[in-house]
Amino acid sequence: DTNVDALITLKDTNENGTDIGFNATINDPTNTIITIVPDSSFSSEQTVYVAIGATVEDYSDNAITKSSITFVAVDSTAPNLDFTPGDSDTGIAVNSDITIAFDEPIRIADGDVTLNDSNVDALITLKTTDSSGTDIVFEAVIDDSKQLITISPTSEFSSEQVIYVSIGATVEDESGNAITASSITFTAADSTAPTVAFVPPDSTNCVPISSNVSLTFSEAVRNADTTNSDITDSNVGSLITLDYTS
């Protein structure tokens, strides 16, 4: 066991790769099996090169031929996923779809079942506000590559509605690596026009002749021009029509 390490080469990728630390032992006294124990686990899908030179022989002085192999470690990394819209995004169009993109093909983790448009809906949660909110009705589909889920709400979001979407640890890659349960929230765009209240109100009679007229909006307003310019004291007059009717 004290000299067997020197007989072995263990590297990343090929003979020119980075050394991989290991400890080797031989099954003394029969001396027929060398066991190589890496100092740490291989990386997911890592290519490993192992070699032994013409440095050992049998008890009749017959040396082996230099030999090497490469092998690939198992995929041990769960798929990455990306939501669109992203977490905490705001101003999302009220008629938007939601997508969940994966960096490799996925399947249902329970029973290794193939994903299709008929079973993908059950994997998705879509609610108002948060995980305790009201369900939002939707249809979901998955593309032919099994890497993109598209969620289509059956009706538009409300103006400035907060949307919660999640997927559980219910899908995995083809090597059985399940994702971690993931969720996001985003906020739909403001799609409601401001309301305006006149003082004095419409059709009011007996208004004092020295009265001002005011227009109060339910939210901040700006000019509806090509540059969305601010309303100022110098341009607000052009927005108002004030006429005598009789």
Side-chain angles (χ1 to χ4, degrees), residues 4-172:
V4 69
D5 284 21
L7 307 177
I8 304 299
T9 300
L10 189 66
K11 292 180 176 285
D12 177 60
T13 309
N14 56 38
E15 62 182 333
N16 298 314
T18 303
D19 287 333
I20 298 173
F22 68 91
N23 180 59
T25 59
I26 193 164
N27 63 331
D28 183 57
T30 56
N31 290 0
T32 55
I33 300 174
I34 294 174
T35 301
I36 305 163
V37 181
D39 293 343
S40 58
S41 297
F42 300 127
S43 301
S44 179
E45 299 182 279
Q46 181 180 18
T47 299
V48 180
Y49 170 87
V50 57
I52 186 170
T55 50
V56 298
E57 62 186 15
D58 63 18
Y59 286 88
S60 298
D61 297 329
N62 301 299
I64 67 168
T65 302
K66 177 181 178 180
S67 302
S68 65
I69 63 163
T70 60
F71 61 88
V72 179
V74 69
D75 175 6
S76 59
T77 302
N80 292 311
L81 61 119
D82 183 46
F83 289 89
T84 302
D87 190 32
S88 300
D89 282 356
T90 59
I92 304 305
V94 295
N95 61 348
S96 294
D97 288 342
I98 304 157
T99 61
I100 309 175
F102 299 85
D103 63 353
E104 58 182 316
I106 56 170
R107 64 189 181 193
I108 294 176
D110 186 7
D112 302 340
V113 176
T114 299
L115 269 172
N116 55 54
D117 294 349
S118 298
N119 59 24
V120 68
D121 285 24
L123 307 178
I124 305 299
T125 300
L126 188 65
K127 292 178 176 283
T128 60
T129 311
D130 56 28
S131 60
S132 300
T134 303
D135 288 333
I136 297 173
V137 180
F138 67 91
E139 293 289 338
V141 296
I142 189 161
D143 71 338
D144 290 342
S145 72
K146 309 303 180 186
Q147 292 184 245
L148 183 68
I149 296 173
T150 301
I151 304 161
S152 301
T154 55
S155 60
E156 293 185 351
F157 302 129
S158 302
S159 179
E160 298 182 280
Q161 184 176 27
V162 175
I163 310 301
Y164 169 88
V165 57
S166 71
I167 184 170
T170 50
V171 298
E172 64 185 13

